[in-house]
Amino acid sequence: MVKGKMKSLLVCLATGTLAIMAIAIAIMFSLPHVPMTAIYVVIGMGVIQELFILCIAYYLSKHVDYNARVTNMQNVAFSRASRDIRTLMNSILNFSSPELTENYNPQEMLNSLSKINNAGLYLMTVVDDLMATYHVSDQEIVLKENPTTIENVFGPIVELVSERFAAKNQVFDVEYINIDKFRYVLIDAPRVQQVVINLLTNANKYTPEGGHILFKVEGASGEGNTLDLTITVKDDGQGISKRKLNNLFKKDPNQKFNEGHYELGLAIVASLVNQMKGTITCTSKENEGSEFVVKFNWAYCHKNSYASTKRDFSILRGKNILVVEDNEMNAEITRAILEKEGMMMDYAKDGAEGVAMFTHAMPHTYDAILMDIRMPVMDGIEACKKIRYSTHPESSIIPIIAMTADVYEADYQSSTDAGMDGYITKPLDPEELYITLSNSIRS
């Protein structure tokens, strides 16, 4: 509405300026005794005003065009994310359904929990990417590399997508060549899974019923103790035109939603592969199918090769932590994480209750406070300020760590301005939490 009124105002100004200039020219010819200097000044001012109006109109058009491109990117990201989230949630619900769990033996229970955990980890990457897209963030992702087996990387993917291929009566072949599936490699498994799932779901979507999809993982010895890995996703579907093939991995938000869906998704995939120091290529012919090839070089490692680098968190044993969190399930998870390192926990369900518990406690009752930022009654920012300005002897020195599911610079800055000593995101990473608490309590 505001933009529409602004455009109308610009049109009126432009029309008025042209009218004034026309009158000035008419006067110049009909009244010769009028000083020419005055006429030139009026015309010059009119020209300047017209240029100014054109600049404003250009800026507005660019602004509207930018918003349209961003909106299109967000629509595509939401469409892809909603599809992936449904797939992952189906997997989580299926493996945790009471009908199955009541008949699980211990090994089946462990296998199901592992699959649920893998689905949850990938689900977090989907949510993070969706949030980043809605904030138009071009920052690089932070890779979290951990020892895992190739079986743990690709096994859950095959299970997740098999139902999709079966639903379209498509033949889905899986091949492993020169691969020791149970040897450990150091990678960010959820990100690799994100790449492969995108390629496989696209193959499923753009291949007709009864078509054929091949998923092949092939290995070769790399330099040193590394593995050169080649991942191939091949289908006999509709293929890709030469025009689109030339710009397949370039992000082009100007495309219409239906046309840009495929290409924008592959641009995101290519960005992930690049950040993991891999390569991705595609060969395709219309109506004959497509073949995507992704190559990585992964370092072999031992399952416990990084155990020796784990930090000593013995300083945390016996510490009492006040957790201010409105979600009881999150509070219970936090309690389990804290108790694993020998800590104790008191619980407040909102900021007001947290302030009251701290300000009425004897000195040395609490060693640190974990404060959720977004809560009813009183949020974490306000609660932190009240604690810092309270008369409690430890009000200025008690470590207060912000906890939030939001990962935006503004939230970090607001928590710092309120007097918080650290900032961790949910879901909580136990080691990150231990490190943050150790540093805060030591100081």
Side-chain angles (χ1 to χ4, degrees):
M1 180 67 71
V2 175
K3 291 177 182 176
K5 290 182 178 180
M6 180 63 74
K7 288 181 179 179
S8 299
L9 178 60
L10 289 174
V11 171
C12 290
L13 287 173
T15 304
T17 302
L18 291 174
I20 292 172
M21 292 172 64
I23 293 172
I25 292 172
I27 292 174
M28 179 178 66
F29 286 105
S30 60
L31 300 174
H33 62 278
V34 175
M36 294 298 295
T37 303
I39 300 296
Y40 292 148
V41 168
V42 172
I43 294 175
M45 291 179 63
V47 170
I48 293 172
Q49 186 169 337
E50 282 293 320
L51 291 173
F52 179 70
I53 292 172
L54 286 174
C55 289
I56 295 177
Y58 177 77
Y59 170 78
L60 283 177
S61 67
K62 284 291 183 182
H63 183 71
V64 172
D65 185 50
Y66 172 79
N67 286 339
R69 294 199 307 270
V70 170
T71 300
N72 182 65
M73 288 177 62
Q74 292 170 347
N75 286 338
V76 174
F78 183 78
S79 174
R80 298 188 67 86
S82 62
R83 179 192 65 189
D84 289 345
I85 288 171
R86 283 196 299 270
T87 300
L88 293 163
M89 288 306 301
N90 283 337
S91 177
I92 292 171
L93 293 173
N94 287 338
F95 285 120
S96 62
S97 66
E99 293 81 2
L100 292 178
T101 55
E102 65 182 11
N103 297 319
Y104 280 156
N105 60 43
Q107 187 57 50
E108 289 173 335
M109 181 67 75
L110 288 175
N111 291 339
S112 293
L113 287 174
S114 176
K115 292 170 183 174
I116 290 170
N117 183 256
N118 286 331
L121 289 172
Y122 177 53
L123 185 60
M124 282 306 303
T125 67
V126 174
V127 173
D128 287 345
D129 289 344
L130 183 61
M131 293 169 68
T133 302
Y134 268 79
H135 282 73
V136 199
S137 172
D138 292 325
Q139 296 181 353
E140 289 192 354
I141 61 172
V142 178
L143 296 177
K144 296 182 178 180
E145 296 181 331
N146 291 291
T148 188
T149 65
I150 294 175
E151 168 66 18
N152 287 339
V153 176
F154 298 117
I157 294 176
V158 173
E159 292 194 27
L160 281 173
V161 300
S162 291
E163 291 184 6
R164 287 178 172 267
F165 296 120
K168 291 183 70 173
N169 296 315
Q170 294 168 334
V171 178
F172 179 43
D173 288 333
V174 180
E175 295 182 8
Y176 292 96
I177 302 174
N178 297 327
I179 291 291
D180 183 351
K181 293 194 293 183
F182 303 101
R183 190 169 179 183
Y184 280 83
V185 288
L186 186 64
I187 60 170
D188 187 333
R191 290 297 180 181
V192 176
Q193 292 171 333
Q194 187 174 1
V195 168
V196 176
I197 286 179
N198 270 280
L199 296 178
L200 288 173
T201 51
N202 277 336
N204 166 256
K205 180 176 181 180
Y206 294 99
T207 301
E209 289 200 18
H212 180 266
I213 292 92
L214 170 65
F215 173 53
K216 182 171 66 175
V217 182
E218 186 172 1
S221 297
E223 294 184 5
N225 194 29
T226 63
L227 170 70
D228 287 330
L229 193 80
T230 301
I231 302 167
T232 303
V233 176
K234 185 177 182 180
D235 64 69
D236 54 6
Q238 69 182 47
I240 305 169
S241 67
K242 286 185 178 180
R243 179 183 62 82
K244 289 186 177 181
L245 198 59
N246 292 333
N247 299 296
L248 194 59
F249 301 119
K250 296 179 181 178
K251 189 180 293 185
D252 184 6
N254 291 313
Q255 297 176 92
K256 294 180 180 178
F257 175 70
N258 289 333
E259 296 175 351
H261 188 151
Y262 188 66
E263 290 82 354
L264 184 53
L266 288 175
I268 295 171
V269 166
S271 176
L272 286 172
V273 171
N274 181 62
Q275 292 183 58
M276 290 187 285
K277 295 181 171 56
T279 62
I280 181 170
T281 57
C282 175
T283 56
S284 181
K285 289 185 178 180
E286 286 189 273
N287 302 316
E288 293 186 20
S290 305
E291 181 179 29
F292 289 86
V293 177
V294 181
K295 294 186 177 183
F296 291 115
N297 178 260
W298 291 348
Y300 284 121
C301 66
H302 188 271
K303 177 181 180 181
N304 300 315
S305 59
Y306 291 82
S308 60
T309 65
K310 288 186 177 180
R311 296 184 52 160
D312 179 14
F313 299 121
S314 58
I315 188 176
L316 300 177
R317 294 196 174 278
K319 302 300 182 184
N320 192 23
I321 312 298
L322 174 59
V323 175
V324 188
E325 165 68 71
D326 64 308
N327 187 298
E328 292 187 12
M329 182 177 293
N330 287 342
E332 287 305 307
I333 293 172
T334 305
R335 182 188 298 277
I337 294 174
L338 294 174
E339 290 180 349
K340 187 176 180 181
E341 286 295 331
M343 288 175 275
M344 300 172 289
M345 173 183 133
D346 285 344
Y347 170 53
K349 66 179 182 296
D350 58 57
E353 186 174 309
V355 171
M357 289 178 65
F358 173 78
T359 54
H360 290 88
M362 295 291 291
H364 309 301
T365 299
Y366 298 114
D367 297 286
I369 300 174
L370 294 177
M371 180 78 73
D372 186 26
I373 288 185
R374 305 192 187 283
M375 294 181 289
V377 183
M378 182 186 294
D379 64 31
I381 300 297
E382 184 64 26
C384 180
K385 291 178 180 178
K386 287 189 175 295
I387 289 174
R388 292 302 187 208
Y389 288 108
S390 71
T391 58
H392 192 281
E394 297 173 335
S395 62
S396 62
I397 61 173
I398 184 76
I400 304 178
I401 312 299
M403 297 190 302
T404 180
D406 295 333
V407 289
Y408 312 129
E409 182 67 25
D411 289 316
Y412 173 79
Q413 190 60 48
S414 60
S415 65
T416 302
D417 293 342
M420 295 190 182
D421 302 283
Y423 184 94
I424 56 178
T425 57
K426 302 176 187 176
L428 297 179
D429 180 300
E431 186 168 7
E432 180 187 5
L433 176 59
Y434 300 149
I435 291 173
T436 303
L437 286 173
S438 296
N439 292 339
S440 299
I441 291 174
R442 280 198 178 105
S443 62

